[in-house]
Amino acid sequence: MGRSPVSLSRLKLGKLKVVRRQLLQRYEHQPFVSCLAGLYGCQWRRYQRAKAQPGECCCSRLECTSFALLIVTFFLSLIFLYFWSEAQNDYNDFDWFNFGNLGFWFPWSVVLLVLAAALFTYIALLLVLAVCLLSEGQRLYLHWSHKIGILVTLSFSISATAVLSDLWSKEWTTLLLSFQVTAPFLHVGGVSLMTFLSWPIALHFFRMNKRVRQVALLSLFLAVLFALYLVPLGMYSPCIKEEGTLGPAPTLIGHRGAPMLAPENTQLSFEKAVEAGGEGLETDVTISYDGVPFLMHDSTLRRTTNVHQVFPNRTDAPAAMFTWPELEMLSAGSWFLQRDPFGTASSLDADERVQVQNQTVPSLKDFLNLAAEHERLVIFDLRRPPRGHPYRDSWITRTLEVIHNESSINSSQVLWLPADQRSVVQELDPELQQTSGDHASIQELQEEHIVRLNLHYSYMSQEQIRKYASVNISTNLYVISQPWLYSLAWCAGVHSVTTNALHILKTLHRPLFLMTPDEYSLMWILTDVVSAFIIAAIFIFHWWRERGLPFWSGSRQVNENGPYSKFRTELSDVWSISSISVRGEAQNSPITPSLPTISEEPPV
């Protein structure tokens, strides 16, 4: 029996409802696309936009160049942002370096970090907008203002990286060290990003009608993806170790006291360091014109005293050319409140501000007595006086006189760092702990009776530290103030660190990053497996979607190449019915009712 007219009408009505529902679902995203195109290319109106047909390029040559430049800028700005954010340990040195060259104080390091973060965020948002537009089948058009913004960000990233590489090349070592802590998390982030990008890549892969483009796109994507999957194979970190093998935390030595809590190289700063739990105190010693060793890091008094007010004509004179009575006239604390180098002055109460204001330049004798009173180790750099100074040739013996005859400290508490006349010093006082700042061989160190090394943290090496420890030479690294860097030193077996942040590092009871090899392997494999599963599912979904949903018409299955044909809207493919064939059993010829084709609306 043939189907009745009522059945045919219901069949047609049901299919029309399906098409109508699909159309409505796809046009629901119209405001979303308008927002994307408006933010990316200022194309807020529908008629301003164009669609990317399957197999076609997503944009013109100029826009392709802009999009490629956007990708390059994204990665360069990301590299610089990561590089500078990991260099926070040395921000204070960077700001004081600029102070010495420019003559005034300004927190350039923080400004640079904020600017880098803002520009990277801007570029990242543009890239997200571009990816979303491509996912919606839109041709890219980048507004000219954004093109200028990309060029500005690219120029900033390249020039800032080049200048900092020239002035602070050692910061690249810091960058490499940071990977020993952040690499596992960067791996997760990179794999997650590639998983997210698999959606638009799969969409365009199955819509391309040229095999060469498909192969190139898929090959590039898989090459990057598998490289990320295998990156952990080449990773090394001392913080990935078996449970129970972590050694004791490195002891803390206050760098010029506690410079984040009080003015550096003042009695108050050293008292704060003792209160914070520092087991050692580090300083710098210069000898006055009349033979009094005093504490001063710089060769002049300009940075950390008010010499410009008391002796305006001697602002740039060497500190060693001042007599002790002249040095006692200077304030060594007012600059701390004015410049606030670590942003911590606001935390001081009224009494502490008065104390800071009244700080003077301390003598070596007062420093050693304070250390002796609290039974703390001391380590100091000793500056040789300039030519024409009365104590230029007797600076070592004058310093030893203060240690032996004028202070109450025990020689065993002193880590003797100056390399000049080391053999003479050892003969005069064998109880001094001979300390070297040179990265020399074990044989050379033993010949000079070195018991401790004082090295920059960029020389951190678990293997070298173990070698030195095997012959009873301990290692001190300077200056470590960031918790992640201290955690790395802890895992590497460092014995002590010199730090600006005693009050922060003292609160760490375990390294920030510490896991066993089994835990790390599980994290790595699980990340890769989940990512591979999601990416495979996305590619399968797009393959299934592009082939079209099959449905049954009469007794045969019909796909997109039959009754349905595809045409493009601003979001994706929209199905239209060109014809519906209904075959009757008792009729000689097929009944072919036609439905009008659903077409796009003309531009408004």
Side-chain angles (χ1 to χ4, degrees), residues 2 11 30 53 60 67 85 107 302 345 351 384 414 446 547-548:
L11 176 64
Q30 185 65 34
Q53 300 295 336
S60 64
F67 182 62
S85 62
R302 184 166 66 105
D351 292 337
R384 186 177 186 181
V414 179
Q446 289 179 324
R547 284 177 59 87

Side-chain angles (χ1 to χ4, degrees), residues 362-398:
S363 66
L364 175 61
K365 173 185 174 181
D366 294 335
F367 168 73
L368 295 177
N369 287 335
L370 185 146
E373 179 184 353
H374 297 282
E375 298 181 348
R376 297 298 193 267
L377 296 174
V378 297
I379 180 173
F380 54 83
D381 286 310
L382 181 59
R383 292 185 177 275
R384 186 177 186 181
R387 296 183 183 277
H389 194 283
Y391 290 86
R392 176 172 173 80
D393 297 326
S394 58
W395 53 304
I396 296 290
T397 56
R398 178 68 188 106

Side-chain angles (χ1 to χ4, degrees), residues 11-192:
L11 176 64
K12 291 187 288 182
L13 182 60
K15 295 182 184 292
L16 284 173
K17 287 181 178 180
V18 171
V19 174
R20 180 177 179 274
R21 183 165 57 250
Q22 291 176 344
L23 285 171
L24 289 176
Q25 289 173 349
R26 297 187 182 274
Y27 274 96
E28 282 175 356
H29 295 290
Q30 185 65 34
F32 175 64
V33 175
S34 297
C35 183
L36 293 175
L39 293 174
Y40 187 80
C42 203
Q43 295 178 326
W44 298 98
R45 298 183 179 276
R46 181 179 169 187
Y47 68 85
Q48 295 176 309
R49 303 190 292 271
K51 302 173 292 292
Q53 300 295 336
E56 291 184 356
C57 183
C58 62
C59 47
S60 64
R61 289 186 178 180
L62 176 61
E63 295 305 320
C64 278
T65 303
S66 299
F67 182 62
L69 199 61
L70 176 62
I71 296 176
V72 172
T73 304
F74 171 80
F75 284 107
L76 289 179
S77 60
L78 175 62
I79 290 172
F80 177 74
L81 177 60
Y82 180 80
F83 163 76
W84 193 238
S85 62
E86 293 302 316
Q88 290 186 45
N89 190 79
D90 300 321
Y91 278 6
N92 190 56
D93 293 340
F94 178 78
D95 290 335
W96 284 125
F97 171 81
N98 288 316
F99 173 83
N101 287 280
L102 301 176
F104 64 92
W105 168 262
F106 190 77
W108 295 105
S109 56
V110 177
V111 172
L112 196 59
L113 178 64
V114 172
L115 183 59
L119 291 177
F120 170 74
T121 303
Y122 166 67
I123 295 299
L125 289 175
L126 283 183
L127 189 59
V128 170
L129 290 173
V131 171
C132 291
L133 284 171
L134 291 175
S135 299
E136 295 295 340
Q138 296 293 308
R139 290 179 66 86
L140 296 181
Y141 172 76
L142 184 64
H143 194 260
W144 63 267
S145 61
H146 290 321
K147 293 175 182 176
I148 294 176
I150 291 174
L151 292 176
V152 169
T153 305
L154 182 63
S155 301
F156 168 79
S157 300
I158 294 176
S159 58
T161 303
V163 171
L164 290 174
S165 296
D166 181 52
L167 298 177
W168 298 86
S169 57
K170 65 180 182 181
E171 294 302 331
W172 288 109
T173 305
T174 307
L175 182 72
L176 296 177
L177 287 174
S178 72
F179 287 142
Q180 298 182 16
V181 174
T182 61
F185 308 103
L186 292 176
H187 169 250
V188 174
V191 170
S192 300

Side-chain angles (χ1 to χ4, degrees), residues 439-565:
H439 196 265
S441 65
I442 292 178
Q443 182 178 356
E444 292 174 331
L445 295 175
Q446 289 179 324
E447 289 175 355
E448 295 186 354
H449 305 282
I450 301 298
V451 297
R452 188 181 295 251
L453 286 175
N454 185 55
L455 303 174
H456 188 265
Y457 70 82
S458 59
Y459 288 102
M460 189 186 308
S461 167
Q462 185 178 27
E463 182 181 358
Q464 290 294 326
I465 291 170
R466 286 177 175 174
K467 285 183 179 179
Y468 292 133
S470 65
V471 291
N472 296 320
I473 298 177
S474 58
T475 305
N476 178 73
L477 298 182
Y478 67 91
V479 172
I480 292 179
S481 301
Q482 288 296 307
W484 72 264
L485 199 53
Y486 179 70
S487 299
L488 196 61
W490 187 347
C491 294
V494 172
H495 301 89
S496 61
V497 301
T498 303
T499 178
N500 292 325
L502 274 167
H503 60 297
I504 296 176
L505 301 186
K506 197 65 178 180
T507 61
L508 292 181
H509 301 295
R510 70 186 304 273
L512 293 180
F513 169 65
L514 181 65
M515 60 173 60
T516 65
D518 292 339
E519 290 173 340
Y520 176 63
S521 299
L522 178 62
M523 175 183 174
W524 163 36
I525 295 173
L526 189 61
T527 300
D528 289 358
V529 169
V530 171
S531 169
F533 176 79
I534 294 175
I535 291 174
I538 289 173
F539 270 80
I540 292 173
F541 170 77
H542 281 290
W543 170 80
W544 168 75
R545 179 187 178 189
E546 292 302 314
R547 284 177 59 87
L549 277 170
F551 66 94
W552 289 88
S553 176
S555 59
R556 63 189 181 90
Q557 185 178 4
V558 183
N559 289 319
E560 62 174 278
N561 296 325
Y564 282 97
S565 63

